[in-house]
PDB file of all heavy atoms in Angstrom:
ATOM      1  N   LEU A 225     132.193  96.927 110.754  1.00 93.00           N
ATOM      2  CA  LEU A 225     130.795  96.978 111.204  1.00 93.00           C
ATOM      3  C   LEU A 225     130.166  95.587 111.218  1.00 93.00           C
ATOM      4  O   LEU A 225     129.440  95.231 112.140  1.00 93.00           O
ATOM      5  CB  LEU A 225     129.987  97.920 110.306  1.00 93.00           C
ATOM      6  CG  LEU A 225     130.181  99.405 110.609  1.00 93.00           C
ATOM      7  CD1 LEU A 225     129.579 100.270 109.513  1.00 93.00           C
ATOM      8  CD2 LEU A 225     129.557  99.760 111.959  1.00 93.00           C
ATOM      9  N   VAL A 226     130.469  94.803 110.177  1.00 95.00           N
ATOM     10  CA  VAL A 226     129.908  93.450 110.122  1.00 95.00           C
ATOM     11  C   VAL A 226     130.482  92.609 111.254  1.00 95.00           C
ATOM     12  O   VAL A 226     129.767  91.847 111.902  1.00 95.00           O
ATOM     13  CB  VAL A 226     130.192  92.803 108.749  1.00 95.00           C
ATOM     14  CG1 VAL A 226     129.771  91.338 108.739  1.00 95.00           C
ATOM     15  CG2 VAL A 226     129.465  93.567 107.640  1.00 95.00           C
ATOM     16  N   LYS A 227     131.779  92.778 111.513  1.00 94.00           N
ATOM     17  CA  LYS A 227     132.411  92.017 112.600  1.00 94.00           C
ATOM     18  C   LYS A 227     131.772  92.388 113.940  1.00 94.00           C
ATOM     19  O   LYS A 227     131.539  91.550 114.798  1.00 94.00           O
ATOM     20  CB  LYS A 227     133.918  92.317 112.624  1.00 94.00           C
ATOM     21  CG  LYS A 227     134.751  91.177 113.207  1.00 94.00           C
ATOM     22  CD  LYS A 227     136.253  91.479 113.153  1.00 94.00           C
ATOM     23  CE  LYS A 227     136.643  92.458 114.239  1.00 94.00           C
ATOM     24  NZ  LYS A 227     137.883  93.191 113.972  1.00 94.00           N
ATOM     25  N   THR A 228     131.476  93.676 114.104  1.00 90.00           N
ATOM     26  CA  THR A 228     130.961  94.153 115.388  1.00 90.00           C
ATOM     27  C   THR A 228     129.476  93.862 115.569  1.00 90.00           C
ATOM     28  O   THR A 228     129.040  93.478 116.641  1.00 90.00           O
ATOM     29  CB  THR A 228     131.183  95.680 115.504  1.00 90.00           C
ATOM     30  OG1 THR A 228     132.526  95.962 115.106  1.00 90.00           O
ATOM     31  CG2 THR A 228     130.957  96.155 116.922  1.00 90.00           C
ATOM     32  N   PHE A 229     128.686  94.062 114.512  1.00 90.00           N
ATOM     33  CA  PHE A 229     127.223  93.985 114.665  1.00 90.00           C
ATOM     34  C   PHE A 229     126.580  92.860 113.861  1.00 90.00           C
ATOM     35  O   PHE A 229     125.357  92.737 113.857  1.00 90.00           O
ATOM     36  CB  PHE A 229     126.572  95.307 114.233  1.00 90.00           C
ATOM     37  CG  PHE A 229     126.926  96.474 115.119  1.00 90.00           C
ATOM     38  CD1 PHE A 229     127.861  97.416 114.713  1.00 90.00           C
ATOM     39  CD2 PHE A 229     126.319  96.622 116.360  1.00 90.00           C
ATOM     40  CE1 PHE A 229     128.173  98.494 115.528  1.00 90.00           C
ATOM     41  CE2 PHE A 229     126.626  97.690 117.180  1.00 90.00           C
ATOM     42  CZ  PHE A 229     127.554  98.628 116.765  1.00 90.00           C
ATOM     43  N   GLY A 230     127.374  92.074 113.142  1.00 91.00           N
ATOM     44  CA  GLY A 230     126.787  91.018 112.318  1.00 91.00           C
ATOM     45  C   GLY A 230     126.049  91.618 111.126  1.00 91.00           C
ATOM     46  O   GLY A 230     126.474  92.633 110.565  1.00 91.00           O
ATOM     47  N   LYS A 231     124.920  90.992 110.787  1.00 91.00           N
ATOM     48  CA  LYS A 231     124.152  91.408 109.617  1.00 91.00           C
ATOM     49  C   LYS A 231     123.683  92.871 109.759  1.00 91.00           C
ATOM     50  O   LYS A 231     123.649  93.631 108.789  1.00 91.00           O
ATOM     51  CB  LYS A 231     122.945  90.473 109.477  1.00 91.00           C
ATOM     52  CG  LYS A 231     122.256  90.554 108.144  1.00 91.00           C
ATOM     53  CD  LYS A 231     121.310  89.366 107.962  1.00 91.00           C
ATOM     54  CE  LYS A 231     120.320  89.675 106.855  1.00 91.00           C
ATOM     55  NZ  LYS A 231     119.030  90.164 107.336  1.00 91.00           N
ATOM     56  N   TRP A 232     123.331  93.233 110.961  1.00 91.00           N
ATOM     57  CA  TRP A 232     122.876  94.600 111.262  1.00 91.00           C
ATOM     58  C   TRP A 232     123.969  95.617 110.936  1.00 91.00           C
ATOM     59  O   TRP A 232     123.707  96.742 110.517  1.00 91.00           O
ATOM     60  CB  TRP A 232     122.409  94.645 112.716  1.00 91.00           C
ATOM     61  CG  TRP A 232     122.152  95.977 113.352  1.00 91.00           C
ATOM     62  CD1 TRP A 232     122.607  96.374 114.581  1.00 91.00           C
ATOM     63  CD2 TRP A 232     121.379  97.087 112.843  1.00 91.00           C
ATOM     64  NE1 TRP A 232     122.166  97.642 114.863  1.00 91.00           N
ATOM     65  CE2 TRP A 232     121.419  98.111 113.816  1.00 91.00           C
ATOM     66  CE3 TRP A 232     120.679  97.308 111.654  1.00 91.00           C
ATOM     67  CZ2 TRP A 232     120.784  99.335 113.631  1.00 91.00           C
ATOM     68  CZ3 TRP A 232     120.045  98.527 111.483  1.00 91.00           C
ATOM     69  CH2 TRP A 232     120.092  99.521 112.463  1.00 91.00           C
ATOM     70  N   GLY A 233     125.257  95.183 111.090  1.00 93.00           N
ATOM     71  CA  GLY A 233     126.380  96.054 110.769  1.00 93.00           C
ATOM     72  C   GLY A 233     126.386  96.433 109.293  1.00 93.00           C
ATOM     73  O   GLY A 233     126.681  97.568 108.915  1.00 93.00           O
ATOM     74  N   ASP A 234     126.036  95.454 108.475  1.00 94.00           N
ATOM     75  CA  ASP A 234     125.979  95.701 107.039  1.00 94.00           C
ATOM     76  C   ASP A 234     124.858  96.702 106.720  1.00 94.00           C
ATOM     77  O   ASP A 234     125.036  97.612 105.902  1.00 94.00           O
ATOM     78  CB  ASP A 234     125.718  94.374 106.312  1.00 94.00           C
ATOM     79  CG  ASP A 234     126.340  94.381 104.927  1.00 94.00           C
ATOM     80  OD1 ASP A 234     127.441  94.977 104.778  1.00 94.00           O
ATOM     81  OD2 ASP A 234     125.735  93.818 104.009  1.00 94.00           O
ATOM     82  N   GLU A 235     123.720  96.519 107.381  1.00 94.00           N
ATOM     83  CA  GLU A 235     122.618  97.463 107.182  1.00 94.00           C
ATOM     84  C   GLU A 235     123.019  98.864 107.631  1.00 94.00           C
ATOM     85  O   GLU A 235     122.711  99.859 106.961  1.00 94.00           O
ATOM     86  CB  GLU A 235     121.373  97.008 107.954  1.00 94.00           C
ATOM     87  CG  GLU A 235     120.600  95.906 107.248  1.00 94.00           C
ATOM     88  CD  GLU A 235     119.437  95.388 108.091  1.00 94.00           C
ATOM     89  OE1 GLU A 235     118.642  96.211 108.570  1.00 94.00           O
ATOM     90  OE2 GLU A 235     119.363  94.162 108.277  1.00 94.00           O
ATOM     91  N   LEU A 236     123.718  98.929 108.772  1.00 95.00           N
ATOM     92  CA  LEU A 236     124.168 100.228 109.277  1.00 95.00           C
ATOM     93  C   LEU A 236     125.051 100.930 108.260  1.00 95.00           C
ATOM     94  O   LEU A 236     124.949 102.138 108.029  1.00 95.00           O
ATOM     95  CB  LEU A 236     124.979 100.030 110.565  1.00 95.00           C
ATOM     96  CG  LEU A 236     124.242 100.110 111.901  1.00 95.00           C
ATOM     97  CD1 LEU A 236     125.228  99.880 113.041  1.00 95.00           C
ATOM     98  CD2 LEU A 236     123.545 101.455 112.054  1.00 95.00           C
TER      99      LEU A 236
END
Side-chain angles (χ1 to χ4, degrees):
L225 281 168
V226 173
K227 207 177 77 202
T228 313
F229 294 103
K231 195 166 162 263
W232 168 228
D234 210 36
E235 281 175 51
L236 267 180

